[in-house]
Amino acid sequence: MEDLPARHPVAIEHLPSFITPPGQTDLMFNFVIIFLLVAVLLTGAFYLKLHSLPERMMHGRHPAQFQIVAVMGLISLLTHNQIFWIAALLLAMIDLPSLFSPLASMARSLHRLSVQPARRERRRSRRAAAGDPAADTTDEMTDDLPEDAGDTVAASHHQTERKADA
């Protein structure tokens, strides 16, 4: 067999398998070191993945709310005050109403109201200058239509008049 050193006189007869003879590689020590490194890396990855949960929940939604959640998550990561993370998580779960949407809708409506009479007046003056007798009736027909639909109705109205004249 192998050239083993003599056993110490007070040693027990059967030694456990994790005790290595002198000069041999300690396999259990190597296994524990690798296990601890892997466990620490996986725990850190899990912690960071869990920590970014509020940001991942907010991704693609309200940009201002996303930035607030991201900053709160970063503050909680750097200061270890987990109350910021809890607040960021709660803020990510709540869908805040958009205050800009109604204002933008009002602005679009007011713009249409202010531009539409001027556009109608320009069309009337062009048709009157061209000598179109149906200029007033065409505008009355297109008052209830969207802005770009009025041009197509007026064009089709002029085409039917030309066919009738021919």
Side-chain angles (χ1 to χ4, degrees):
M1 286 204 143
E2 215 175 287
D3 209 10
L4 293 175
R7 188 179 299 220
H8 194 275
V10 286
I12 59 173
E13 257 190 59
H14 178 68
L15 294 175
S17 62
F18 60 84
I19 296 180
T20 58
Q24 297 291 324
T25 305
D26 190 356
L27 294 176
M28 185 162 185
F29 177 73
N30 292 339
F31 173 74
V32 168
I33 292 293
I34 291 171
F35 176 77
L36 282 176
L37 286 174
V38 169
V40 165
L41 289 175
L42 288 177
T43 303
F46 174 72
Y47 176 74
L48 291 175
K49 185 108 172 148
L50 182 66
H51 193 78
S52 68
L53 180 68
E55 292 175 41
R56 286 186 284 127
M57 287 173 62
M58 281 300 301
H59 188 69
R61 295 195 307 190
H62 310 285
Q65 189 177 356
F66 174 74
Q67 288 178 355
I68 293 170
V69 167
V71 167
M72 290 177 82
L74 189 61
I75 289 172
S76 94
L77 180 67
L78 296 176
T79 63
H80 300 291
N81 289 334
Q82 298 307 318
I83 191 71
F84 288 112
W85 185 82
I86 293 169
L89 187 64
L90 290 175
L91 186 60
M93 288 181 180
I94 296 171
D95 192 22
L96 294 179
S98 174
L99 300 176
F100 182 70
S101 297
L103 294 175
S105 175
M106 286 186 255
R108 277 193 307 272
S109 298
L110 287 172
H111 178 71
R112 271 193 232 124
L113 287 173
S114 67
V115 169
Q116 203 169 11
R119 190 177 288 165
R120 259 192 244 129
E121 192 57 41
R122 280 196 306 265
R123 268 194 249 136
R124 275 193 195 127
S125 62
R126 271 187 278 157
R127 288 185 190 131
D132 189 3
D136 293 333
T137 59
T138 305
D139 283 333
E140 290 170 7
M141 290 172 36
T142 60
D143 280 346
D144 297 333
L145 296 174
E147 297 171 13
D148 54 347
D151 296 334
T152 54
V153 169
S156 65
H157 181 70
H158 288 301
Q159 288 174 355
T160 49
E161 283 182 356
R162 286 185 190 136
K163 286 181 185 175
D165 290 342

